[in-house]
Amino acid sequence: MSKNKSSIATMVLSLGAITAIAAALLAWVNDVTKTPIEEARNAKKVTAIQDVTPAFTNDPIADADSIIPEGEDRTVVVFPAFEDGILTGAAVETYSMDGFSGEIALMVGFDAAGSITGYTVLSHAETPGLGAKMNEWFRDNEGKRSVIGSNPAVRNMNVAKDPGGEVDGITAATITSRAFLQAIRRAHSAFNQYCETKSHNNNEQ
Amino acid sequence: MLTYLSIIITAIFVNNIVFAQFLGICPFIGVSKKLSSAYGMGAAVTFVMVLATCVTWLLQHEVLNPLGLGFMQTIVFILVIAALVQMLEIILKKIAPALYQALGVFLPLITTNCAVLGVAILVVQKNYNLGESLTYAVATAVGFTMALAMFAGIREQLSLVDIPKPMRGVPIALICAGLLAMAFMGFSGIKIG
Amino acid sequence: MNSKLRIIYNGIVTDNPTFVLLLGMCPTLGTTSSAINGMSMGLATMGVLICSNMAISAIKNFVPAKVRIPAYIVVIATFVTMLQMLMQAYLPSLYETLGIFIPLIVVNCILLGRAEAFASKHSVLDSGLDGIGIGLGFTIALTLLGAIRELIGTGRIFDTIIFPETFGSLVFVLAPGAFIALGFMIAIFNYFKNR
C-alpha cells in the first residue's frame, strides 16, 4: 500500500504537511466566501422586509431599533420604513416560544396605522403538512383565516376556538396557530411602543 | 433548574436522537441484535459523548472563536473525537481492564458515530453554556441507550419469528424502528415551564 | 464491459451504498422528506466523495500506513468544510434545509469506507470514477426514497402534483415514514436480487 516506512519522522512530516495544506486551503476558501456568506445572510432579511412593508426610501436595517415589549425580557427588532422622512410603516422581526416544536420566528409588516401589510415565516420547526402550513394559511382569503389588512388593535388576534378570538386557526394545528398569533400580537405591541417613543422623542426636539 | 429539566426531557423523549433526529443510526442497526451488547454500546457512547462535548465546547469557545477560526469547526471536532477515542482505548486498557473488556469492542466504532459529532456541533449551534451542553450530552446519550435497548429487546423476539425471506434482517428492523418512532411522536409537543 | 464503465456500474448496482452496503443511513433517513432534498444531499455527498477519493489516491504513496486513517479524516473534513462554506455562500436556503447533515458528511461511513477499500489501492482516475459510481448510487437511492416519501405523504413528486394532498398519508413525510419506506425499499431490492 504505502511505500513509506512508518517511522516517527515520516509520520509527523506527512501528517503535518497534509494538515498544513488543508488549513491553507480552508483559509483561502473562507476568505473567498466570507462576503458572499454575509450577503446571503442579510439578503434573507432584506427580502423579508421588502416583502412585508409598504414602499420605503431609507435603509430599514441601518435604522433598525431593538424594542423590549412591556413585561418581557427579550428584544424584538423593528425595521422602520420611511418615505421622504415620514414613517410609512415597519417590518417587525418577532417570535413565539410556544410553537408545537419550539420557537417560531416571523417578519411582520405594518402600515403607519398599525394594520398588517404582510408576513413571512423566517424559521420554525413545526410539523410538516400541519403547523408548517402557517406561511400560506394566514394569508388565505377563505373564512376568517387571513390576517392581512387587519389591525390587531381592532380585531381580536386569537384563534376562534378561544374566547373572543376572531381568526380561524389551522386545522389540526391549534397550538401552532396560537403561537403564530401570539407572535403577531407581540410584533404589534412592539410597533406601537416604537411609534410612541419616536413621537415622544420628536416632541422633545 | 427548569431549563435543565426541559433539556433533559426534550433530548430523551421529544427529540430522541435516533427516532426524531436520525443520528447514530449505524450502531442502532448494527449493534442492536443482543440486549447485552446494546447496553455496552450505550455505555461507551455515553462516556465518549460527554467527554467529547466537554472538550469540543471548550475548544470552540476558548480557542476557535477568539481566534476567528470558526470555519475550522468540523475538522477540529472530528480530529478531537478520533484522538479522544484512541486515548480512551489506551487509558482504559491500562487502568481499568475490566471496563475495557466490556466497552473495548465498541470504542473504535464510535469515531464514525455521527451522534457524537452531531451533539458536539448541535450544542454550539444552540448556543448552550457549558452546563447546559453537558446536560444535553448526558440526556442525549441516555435517549440513545434507551432506544438501543428497546430495539434490541424487539429484535431478540424478531429472530424467533418466521419472516418473509426478503424482509429478514435489516428491512424488518427498519420497519420496527418506524413503528417505535411513531410511538415516540406521541411525545412531541410536550413542554416544561 | 469496459473496465472504467464497470467501476461506475459497480458503484451504482453491485456495491450500492444504501441498498447493499447499508452505509450512510443517517442522511439517508434524515434528509429524504422530499425528492429534491434527497437529491441535493446525494449530490453534495457525491461532490465530496469524488474529491476525497482522488486526493487520497494521489497522496497514498506518501502517507505511512500507521497514520493513514487520521490523514484520510483530515482530507475528508477539509472538503466537507469547503462544501459547507460554498453552500452557505451560494445556496443558503438549501444549506438551511439540510442543516446538520452537511457537516456530518465527515462521519458518513461511505467516505472513509471508499477511501480505505478503494482509493488507497487504485489510480487517481479510477478512484474518481469510483467516487462518481458510488456517489450516483447514493444519489439515486436518496432521490428514490425522497420521491416515494413525498408521493405517499403529500401526493407530489418534485413539487409536481400527482394526486390531491388530502389522499396523502402525512406520516411518510415525518420520521416514522423514513424508517418504514427504507425498510420496504431494501426488502424489494433483496427480493429482485435473490430471484
Side-chain angles (χ1 to χ4, degrees):
Chain A
M1 194 187 287
S2 173
K3 281 158 200 142
N4 262 356
K5 262 193 218 133
S6 298
S7 72
I8 290 287
T10 54
M11 285 201 285
V12 172
L13 253 176
S14 58
L15 263 193
I18 290 170
T19 320
I21 294 170
L25 260 176
L26 285 183
W28 174 65
V29 176
N30 180 52
D31 216 43
V32 173
T33 54
K34 211 178 215 163
T35 13
I37 289 177
E38 205 60 36
E39 276 165 13
R41 259 187 212 143
N42 271 332
K44 198 178 171 189
K45 217 167 246 183
V46 172
T47 24
I49 293 171
Q50 278 168 350
D51 279 353
V52 299
T53 41
F56 54 83
T57 51
N58 64 320
D59 178 359
I61 291 189
D63 295 337
D65 230 332
S66 292
I67 302 272
I68 301 175
E70 258 177 30
E72 294 182 30
D73 49 8
R74 202 171 129 178
T75 54
V76 169
V77 186
V78 177
F79 301 96
F82 292 102
E83 204 167 23
D84 306 322
I86 301 160
L87 186 77
T88 55
V92 183
E93 193 181 344
T94 177
Y95 69 94
S96 168
M97 297 304 288
D98 294 337
F100 193 66
S101 320
E103 187 174 338
I104 296 172
L106 301 177
M107 185 72 86
V108 186
F110 295 98
D111 63 15
S115 293
I116 298 169
T117 50
Y119 75 90
T120 309
V121 179
L122 294 175
S123 69
H124 72 93
E126 301 306 286
T127 320
L130 293 173
K133 279 187 195 153
M134 64 188 150
N135 207 5
E136 293 85 41
W137 185 278
F138 293 104
R139 53 178 107 247
D140 190 347
N141 281 323
E142 216 179 298
K144 293 184 290 176
R145 292 178 183 180
S146 178
V147 297
I148 312 281
S150 324
N151 189 333
V154 180
R155 185 173 171 200
N156 187 332
M157 285 288 168
N158 273 301
V159 282
K161 272 188 185 175
D162 294 342
E166 291 178 41
V167 182
D168 281 341
I170 305 170
T171 321
T174 308
I175 294 175
T176 306
S177 309
R178 280 194 189 120
F180 176 88
L181 293 172
Q182 184 201 37
I184 296 263
R185 292 196 302 271
R186 178 171 282 141
H188 184 253
S189 64
F191 176 66
N192 275 346
Q193 226 166 301
Y194 173 82
C195 293
E196 272 166 34
T197 45
K198 274 286 133 77
S199 62
H200 186 67
N201 288 352
N202 286 348
N203 288 346
E204 271 179 4
Q205 274 164 10
Chain B
M1 238 6 255
L2 221 53
T3 354
Y4 288 101
L5 193 65
S6 155
I7 288 174
I8 293 171
I9 302 286
T10 308
I12 297 180
F13 296 107
V14 185
N15 268 329
N16 185 281
I17 186 118
V18 176
F19 295 126
Q21 308 205 55
F22 301 113
L23 297 177
I25 306 283
C26 293
F28 177 68
I29 301 286
V31 203
S32 60
K33 286 191 187 114
K34 277 207 306 240
L35 204 51
S36 56
S37 53
Y39 284 128
M41 185 70 184
V45 166
T46 311
F47 211 55
V48 175
M49 199 180 272
V50 175
L51 215 59
T53 307
C54 184
V55 175
T56 52
W57 191 93
L58 287 172
L59 267 176
Q60 176 81 29
H61 289 269
E62 302 299 328
V63 182
L64 294 183
N65 282 353
L67 294 177
L69 289 173
F71 64 93
M72 297 286 279
Q73 190 195 49
T74 312
I75 200 165
V76 170
F77 280 19
I78 185 67
L79 284 178
V80 165
I81 292 170
L84 216 60
V85 172
Q86 284 279 309
M87 258 163 51
L88 210 62
E89 218 180 327
I90 297 167
I91 295 173
L92 276 187
K93 213 178 203 168
K94 285 254 164 67
I95 301 181
L99 198 61
Y100 177 77
Q101 282 278 304
L103 303 185
V105 248
F106 305 110
L107 282 175
L109 290 172
I110 289 177
T111 313
T112 49
N113 180 344
C114 50
V116 177
L117 182 62
V119 167
I121 296 176
L122 276 175
V123 294
V124 173
Q125 277 181 2
K126 287 176 190 257
N127 252 328
Y128 282 162
N129 64 34
L130 189 56
E132 287 167 347
S133 301
L134 291 180
T135 316
Y136 182 77
V138 173
T140 304
V142 169
F144 178 76
T145 313
M146 191 182 70
L148 211 59
M150 278 168 63
F151 199 52
I154 293 175
R155 283 186 86 174
E156 279 188 356
Q157 296 296 314
L158 271 182
S159 61
L160 307 171
V161 186
D162 186 27
I163 299 163
K165 209 168 155 239
M167 300 283 282
R168 268 177 218 169
V170 176
I172 192 72
L174 279 170
I175 291 165
C176 285
L179 296 176
L180 269 176
M182 229 180 265
F184 267 77
M185 270 182 72
F187 291 115
S188 64
I190 288 180
K191 261 186 288 288
I192 287 132
Chain C
M1 202 188 288
N2 182 310
S3 74
K4 303 287 176 203
L5 270 177
R6 179 103 234 162
I7 296 175
I8 297 184
Y9 174 82
N10 276 350
I12 301 176
V13 182
T14 334
D15 283 342
N16 187 292
T18 307
F19 297 131
V20 182
L21 305 177
L22 301 172
L23 292 176
M25 287 298 209
C26 303
T28 307
L29 292 165
T31 62
T32 51
S33 56
S34 70
I36 188 77
N37 289 353
M39 195 170 84
S40 317
M41 188 66 210
L43 291 176
T45 312
M46 179 160 119
V48 176
L49 182 61
I50 295 171
C51 296
S52 71
N53 251 4
M54 290 172 78
I56 285 165
S57 171
I59 60 166
K60 65 177 183 285
N61 290 336
F62 307 107
V63 182
K66 267 189 186 161
V67 290
R68 66 179 196 286
I69 299 288
Y72 296 166
I73 292 179
V74 174
V75 171
I76 293 169
T78 309
F79 285 116
V80 170
T81 311
M82 277 159 73
L83 175 82
Q84 232 179 316
M85 292 192 281
L86 290 172
M87 278 184 78
Q88 261 175 311
Y90 303 110
L91 297 165
S93 58
L94 186 61
Y95 181 78
E96 225 165 86
T97 319
L98 299 179
I100 189 154
F101 288 102
I102 293 293
L104 286 184
I105 293 176
V106 167
V107 281
N108 189 326
C109 326
I110 295 174
L111 287 130
L112 203 57
R114 289 327 278 178
E116 179 74 358
F118 197 97
S120 62
K121 299 185 188 89
H122 292 81
S123 72
V124 176
L125 179 65
D126 284 0
S127 302
L129 289 174
D130 179 67
I132 294 176
I134 294 277
L136 272 180
F138 190 59
T139 310
I140 291 169
L142 257 62
T143 314
L144 205 60
L145 184 59
I148 289 172
R149 286 179 64 193
E150 197 183 349
L151 178 68
I152 304 180
T154 66
R156 282 180 273 198
I157 293 183
F158 283 114
D159 272 336
T160 318
I161 296 170
I162 310 287
F163 58 77
E165 201 177 335
T166 28
F167 296 120
S169 162
L170 194 59
V171 76
F172 275 88
V173 181
L174 306 177
F179 288 104
I180 294 171
L182 183 63
F184 277 112
M185 276 177 77
I186 295 176
I188 292 167
F189 197 89
N190 282 347
Y191 175 76
F192 282 110
K193 206 177 59 183
N194 297 334
R195 234 174 20 163

